[in-house]
Amino acid sequence: MPEKSAYQGCPQCSRINEVLGRVGDRWSVLIVLSLAQYKVLRFNELKRHLGISQRMLSLKLRELERDGLVNRTYHPTIPPKVEYALTDLGYSFYEPVKTLGTWALDNLPNIDEARAEFDMQADEKKSA
Amino acid sequence: MPEKSAYQGCPQCSRINEVLGRVGDRWSVLIVLSLAQYKVLRFNELKRHLGISQRMLSLKLRELERDGLVNRTYHPTIPPKVEYALTDLGYSFYEPVKTLGTWALDNLPNIDEARAEFDMQADEKKSA
DNA sequence: ATCGCAGGTATCGAAAGTATACCAGCCTCG
DNA sequence: CGAGGCTGGTATACTTTCGATACCTGCGAT
């Protein structure tokens, strides 16, 4: 009998998993970081700043807006202008994200080093 | 001319992006959280605790080991026993991750609320 | 002898991400 | 005038990743 397994792990893990699945991806984190830094950014400013594809940016911004982290303001000027900014909830998310981003910047070398060593040892075993 | 665009965004974003691409995904975060809590866990303990597929767990653990966050100890007993624990680097990653996890737990209701309201307004517009 | 658990690997379809092209409206430059 | 460029997007096609499931080896218990 092919295991039914509706078990989703411990409840706390499920909940954290759920939130991270919504706002915990790379692009959402980077968008929040950028908006926290610049307060207000237009669509193409974000796009150029992040080096993200238009499609992804469009999707992620709508997601973040839906989840109440980002505010979208459409100015019906010529040419049209759309501005994005963090909401209060977005700024509260910025706090933990900032510490994560800082850790990331500080520890990239450590990770690279560990990775290089791991790969080296793997090579040794392979050629042994 | 179809835009060549090798531009990857601001350097800082690229670097953060890079690290997050390695250890910033949902499962890595949850594995680190679990290991920080229980100190040592076996493969299937983690699997059951997280509700993750074997394949993913296997991949993520190897990744985390490669990146120096997790230590894998193989006990050639009968039956074989494999234990996973955080390294020092792993524990240092736990700090920012903990604040992220806490935020996630605290703010799931807020996100749900924002989302419900957004969807409601979208429905109104649709039927207007 | 068959089942179960241990810790995986192999396979395959679905989902997510990327690259690219295209759109409408207006502006400028030649 | 008309070619192109900027605005903020969609639409399409392709590729990478993810997730569910099945299978494997080796042992021990029923």
Side-chain angles (χ1 to χ4, degrees):
Chain A
M1 177 166 59
E3 190 188 355
K4 283 289 179 192
S5 149
Y7 182 57
Q8 288 304 313
C10 77
Q12 218 185 33
C13 292
S14 296
R15 289 170 62 80
I16 294 180
N17 199 352
E18 199 185 334
V19 185
L20 291 181
R22 299 191 194 181
V23 295
D25 62 290
R26 286 207 298 305
W27 290 126
S28 298
V29 166
L30 286 172
I31 290 169
V32 168
L33 283 172
S34 301
L35 287 179
Q37 188 178 354
Y38 293 98
K39 310 303 177 196
V40 173
L41 286 173
R42 301 177 57 175
F43 185 87
N44 277 336
E45 285 175 339
L46 266 169
K47 175 174 175 291
R48 278 188 290 268
H49 186 70
L50 298 178
I52 185 179
S53 73
Q54 271 179 325
R55 187 185 107 96
M56 248 313 104
L57 183 56
S58 189
L59 289 175
K60 288 305 168 188
L61 282 173
R62 212 174 318 290
E63 240 180 70
L64 289 171
E65 190 196 356
R66 183 155 101 105
D67 287 336
L69 301 186
V70 156
N71 218 298
R72 179 182 188 272
T73 315
Y74 176 77
H75 302 273
T77 56
I78 298 298
K81 187 172 162 182
V82 182
E83 292 182 328
Y84 293 91
L86 292 182
T87 62
D88 288 347
L89 186 58
Y91 275 108
S92 84
F93 183 53
Y94 171 61
E95 289 303 324
V97 153
K98 182 175 50 181
T99 70
L100 195 73
T102 304
W103 185 91
L105 286 176
D106 290 349
N107 289 277
L108 185 54
N110 296 331
I111 291 182
D112 280 335
E113 192 185 343
R115 184 175 281 210
E117 189 174 342
F118 183 93
D119 290 349
M120 205 182 59
Q121 291 185 2
D123 280 354
E124 279 173 16
K125 279 179 193 166
K126 198 171 56 183
S127 62
Chain B
M1 177 167 60
E3 187 188 359
K4 283 289 179 190
S5 149
Y7 182 58
Q8 288 303 313
C10 77
Q12 217 185 34
C13 292
S14 296
R15 288 171 61 80
I16 294 179
N17 199 352
E18 199 184 334
V19 186
L20 291 181
R22 298 192 195 181
V23 294
D25 61 292
R26 287 205 299 304
W27 290 125
S28 298
V29 165
L30 286 171
I31 289 170
V32 168
L33 283 172
S34 301
L35 286 179
Q37 187 180 354
Y38 293 99
K39 310 302 176 197
V40 173
L41 286 172
R42 301 177 59 176
F43 186 87
N44 277 334
E45 285 175 340
L46 267 170
K47 175 174 175 294
R48 277 188 291 268
H49 187 70
L50 298 178
I52 186 179
S53 74
Q54 272 179 316
R55 186 187 107 97
M56 250 313 105
L57 183 56
S58 189
L59 289 175
K60 287 307 167 187
L61 282 173
R62 212 173 318 289
E63 239 180 71
L64 289 171
E65 189 195 357
R66 183 154 101 105
D67 287 337
L69 301 186
V70 156
N71 218 297
R72 178 182 188 272
T73 314
Y74 176 78
H75 301 275
T77 57
I78 297 299
K81 189 173 163 183
V82 182
E83 291 182 329
Y84 293 92
L86 291 182
T87 63
D88 287 347
L89 185 57
Y91 275 108
S92 84
F93 183 54
Y94 171 61
E95 290 303 323
V97 152
K98 182 175 51 183
T99 70
L100 194 73
T102 304
W103 185 91
L105 285 177
D106 290 348
N107 289 277
L108 185 54
N110 296 330
I111 291 182
D112 280 335
E113 191 185 345
R115 184 174 281 210
E117 189 175 342
F118 183 93
D119 291 348
M120 206 182 58
Q121 292 185 2
D123 282 355
E124 279 172 16
K125 279 180 192 165
K126 197 171 56 183
S127 60

